[in-house]
Structure formats: structure tokens, C-alpha cells
Amino acid sequence: MGKLQIKRVYLPVTSTDGKRILIDRLWPRGISKTKACLDEWNKEIAPSNELRKWFQHDPEKFAEFKQKYLDELKVNPSLKEFVIQIKQALQQENVTLLFSAKDELHNNAVVLQDYLNNEVK
């Protein structure tokens, strides 16, 4: 069984990344598609534009952002298929959820990783 991990898209690709999935709604600034080396870009699983703009990666808003993002995920029609896809991929290899935020502790990937870890058990 593979490991579910998160990583900034700007960091170098490594052999332990496995399947690389960008989970941001917007393309990361300053990186080419070739250099990003993605297997998939899943915009649909990302927070809504409204939530993203409200949060603005403010650590003081993170707890509220987390709850609002989880609320969005619960009604997201793409979630069920995404969870199945992650479960299947983890049977074969690691899965790395990629994000562009500078703050590695307060971002949508942290929330999504935590959510998926509970779902794929």
C-alpha cells in the first residue's frame, strides 16, 4: 500500500512521489507544465474561488477555512470519484497531492490529506 503525502509543486520531483496530483484551482505561478510533472490536475476538488479569496492563506483563519472547505467537500459531486481514485492509486503506489501555497501548514492540501486519510482506511 502506498502513502498519501502532500508537497509544494515547486519542489523537485522525487522517486517517492508516485502519482502527482495538483489540487489547486489556479495554475501555480512561475512553473511550466513540463517542470510540474503532473499526472493530473484536479481543479474540481479544490476550494471554491470564494473560499480561496476569503482565506488568503491567513493562518488565523485556518480553523474556519478548514471547516468551510470540509463543508464544501461534503457537497462536492467530484468527491466520491476522487476518493475512489485515490484508494485505487494507493494500492499501487504513493500519491502526492501538490499545492502552490508558501505556507506548508495552513493550506487546502493539509485539509484534503487529513480528510482522505480518514476515508481510505
Side-chain angles (χ1 to χ4, degrees):
M1 178 116 175
K3 179 179 167 186
L4 180 63
Q5 49 205 3
I6 61 174
K7 180 178 182 177
R8 286 194 77 214
V9 70
Y10 301 103
L11 295 175
V13 177
T14 65
S15 61
T16 60
D17 285 350
K19 184 174 182 136
R20 294 171 51 90
I21 305 171
L22 179 63
I23 55 164
D24 286 348
R25 191 165 297 277
L26 301 177
W27 184 260
R29 291 181 185 171
I31 190 166
S32 68
K33 290 185 179 184
T34 303
K35 188 167 184 181
C37 196
L38 301 180
D39 293 298
E40 178 184 342
W41 179 15
N42 193 318
K43 301 176 208 176
E44 299 305 315
I45 208 69
S48 66
N49 282 325
E50 296 79 16
L51 181 56
R52 179 183 56 78
K53 289 176 184 177
W54 170 83
F55 177 45
Q56 296 182 341
H57 297 285
D58 180 351
E60 292 184 17
K61 293 181 177 178
F62 185 69
E64 190 175 353
F65 167 78
K66 180 178 180 177
Q67 188 55 57
K68 288 180 176 192
Y69 182 32
L70 289 171
D71 290 344
E72 283 188 356
L73 285 172
K74 288 177 189 174
V75 296
N76 186 329
S78 301
L79 180 64
K80 184 177 180 180
E81 185 179 322
F82 186 72
V83 170
I84 291 168
Q85 173 191 353
I86 297 301
K87 283 182 182 180
Q88 290 173 344
L90 286 170
Q91 297 296 322
Q92 307 296 319
E93 62 186 332
N94 291 340
V95 173
T96 301
L97 304 176
L98 300 167
F99 63 96
S100 61
K102 289 179 184 175
D103 186 337
E104 296 186 21
L105 301 175
H106 305 100
N107 62 65
N108 60 307
V110 171
V111 177
L112 188 57
Q113 179 188 36
D114 186 50
Y115 177 85
L116 291 171
N117 278 332
N118 289 324
E119 292 295 312
V120 298
K121 291 181 179 177

